[in-house]
């Protein structure tokens, strides 16, 4: 199975503008996401999908600096951006691993596990760890068959184009969808980057573990003894699906 990874990244953010290029442990947030995706060992190619807006020129510059391919497309039509990456590719892929550039604590082992399950189940159209959430927000993995991603281009409108894959898992009677869960349930942890309080927690994690990806159980075990850190962003609520 030929698999391409696509990282959506842009400087615009309603709650934390410029977050993808903030520096953590000597790397940008985007660089950490790219490294985790590559370290999984399951990708045949990896591309960052950003926008054509001038404000995202620094994202393009960072991609060049860290040696990852970049494609520019519409601001709000993120699905269109993903399809632009696929159309620009030299070889057809069988599956797309979708990443967002606000997950600097992404675990390569989880990416590998999800990809292995997807590859072992040929009938699957889509797999995600967030359908029945047991992982911390910020460590989720999702994979979709390339032909399904192309198919929903004709069907997805409004917020489904912003969230790329949401049309698929919102129509489970039309597609073979699998929710991958892991134990223990660590869904109470929030390890994504969307607010300054998220940043304070993630900075503390990186200050302790340094410039390396950390397995989710190791990270969760460390945080279990540090409630003063997990409380920092416990109040933050994720945007609804219909919100941009």
């Amino acid at each position: 199975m030929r698999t391409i990874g696509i990282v959506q990244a842009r400087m615009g953010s309603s709650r934390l503008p410029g977050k993808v290029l903030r520096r953590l442990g000597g790397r940008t947030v985007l660089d950490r996401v790219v490294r985790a995706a590559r370290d999984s060992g399951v990708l045949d190619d990896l591309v960052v999908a950003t926008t054509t807006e001038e404000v995202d020129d620094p994202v393009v510059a960072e991609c060049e600096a860290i040696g990852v391919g970049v494609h520019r497309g519409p601001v709000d039509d993120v699905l269109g951006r993903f399809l632009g990456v696929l159309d620009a590719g030299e070889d057809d892929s069988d599956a797309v691993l979708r990443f967002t550039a606000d997950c600097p604590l992404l675990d390569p082992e989880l990416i590998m596990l999800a990809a292995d399950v997807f590859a072992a189940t040929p009938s699957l159209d889509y797999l995600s760890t967030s359908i029945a959430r047991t992982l911390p927000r910020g460590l989720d993995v999702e994979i979709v068959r390339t032909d399904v991603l192309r198919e929903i281009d004709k069907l997805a409108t409004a917020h489904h184009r912003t969230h790329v894959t949401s049309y698929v898992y919102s129509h489970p009677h039309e597609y073979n969808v699998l929710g991958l869960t892991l134990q223990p349930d660590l869904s109470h942890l929030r390890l994504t980057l969307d607010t300054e309080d998220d940043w304070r927690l993630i900075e503390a994690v990186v200050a302790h573990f340094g410039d390396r990806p950390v397995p989710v159980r190791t990270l969760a075990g460390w945080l279990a003894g540090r409630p003063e850190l997990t409380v920092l962003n416990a109040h933050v609520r994720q945007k609804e699906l219909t919100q941009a």
Side-chain angles (χ1 to χ4, degrees):
M1 183 178 74
R2 179 173 172 78
T3 304
I4 183 173
I6 302 178
V7 183
Q8 60 189 75
R10 67 187 185 95
M11 294 294 283
S13 168
S14 58
R15 295 203 277 192
L16 196 62
K19 60 185 177 180
V20 302
L21 294 188
R22 285 195 175 196
R23 300 196 72 82
L24 278 168
R27 296 175 184 266
T28 62
V29 170
L30 176 58
D31 189 3
R32 291 180 68 93
V33 174
V34 166
R35 181 180 59 172
R38 284 174 165 165
D39 284 356
S40 71
V42 301
L43 298 176
D44 295 286
D45 196 9
L46 181 65
V47 179
V48 173
T50 191
T51 84
T52 55
E53 300 290 296
E54 185 177 349
V55 69
D56 286 319
D57 288 351
V59 173
V60 175
E62 173 67 0
C63 289
E64 294 172 351
I66 62 178
V68 65
V70 62
H71 173 82
R72 308 188 77 163
V75 176
D76 296 320
D77 184 6
V78 190
L79 174 57
R81 257 190 266 163
F82 273 56
L83 293 171
V85 171
L86 297 176
D87 290 341
E90 296 180 1
D91 300 314
D92 287 338
S93 63
D94 300 297
V96 175
L97 264 159
R98 176 188 176 223
F99 303 100
T100 58
D102 53 4
C103 301
L105 301 180
L106 201 59
D107 181 355
E109 293 181 9
L110 291 177
I111 301 170
M112 180 174 61
L113 174 63
D116 286 347
V117 172
F118 189 84
T121 317
S123 62
L124 279 183
D125 294 317
Y126 175 81
L127 177 150
S128 174
T129 59
S130 61
I131 293 174
R133 180 179 297 283
T134 58
L135 286 175
R137 189 177 295 278
L139 272 69
D140 285 307
V141 184
E142 61 177 325
I143 313 173
V144 61
R145 280 201 302 131
T146 302
D147 57 353
V148 170
L149 203 61
R150 291 190 182 280
E151 178 183 315
I152 64 171
D153 185 34
K154 307 177 185 68
L155 305 169
T157 59
H159 65 275
H160 289 311
R161 300 201 70 85
T162 303
H163 294 284
V164 184
T165 56
S166 59
Y167 185 90
V168 180
Y169 59 77
S170 297
H171 295 77
H173 297 296
E174 300 174 25
Y175 300 99
N176 291 327
V177 172
L178 177 66
L180 181 64
T181 62
L182 292 90
Q183 294 299 319
D185 186 346
L186 301 173
S187 59
H188 61 284
L189 294 174
R190 178 181 171 85
L191 301 175
T192 190
L193 177 58
D194 200 31
T195 70
E196 287 289 353
D197 288 332
D198 294 331
W199 177 254
R200 291 166 64 198
L201 171 57
I202 291 171
E203 267 196 318
V205 169
V206 173
H208 177 77
F209 287 100
D211 183 31
R212 60 185 175 91
V214 184
V216 60
R217 288 183 177 85
T218 301
L219 179 52
W222 182 76
L223 286 171
R226 292 164 176 79
E228 72 279 6
L229 293 181
T230 56
V231 75
L232 289 174
N233 64 350
H235 64 284
V236 179
R237 293 293 172 262
Q238 197 71 10
K239 292 180 181 179
E240 297 295 328
L241 180 65
T242 55
Q243 294 179 291

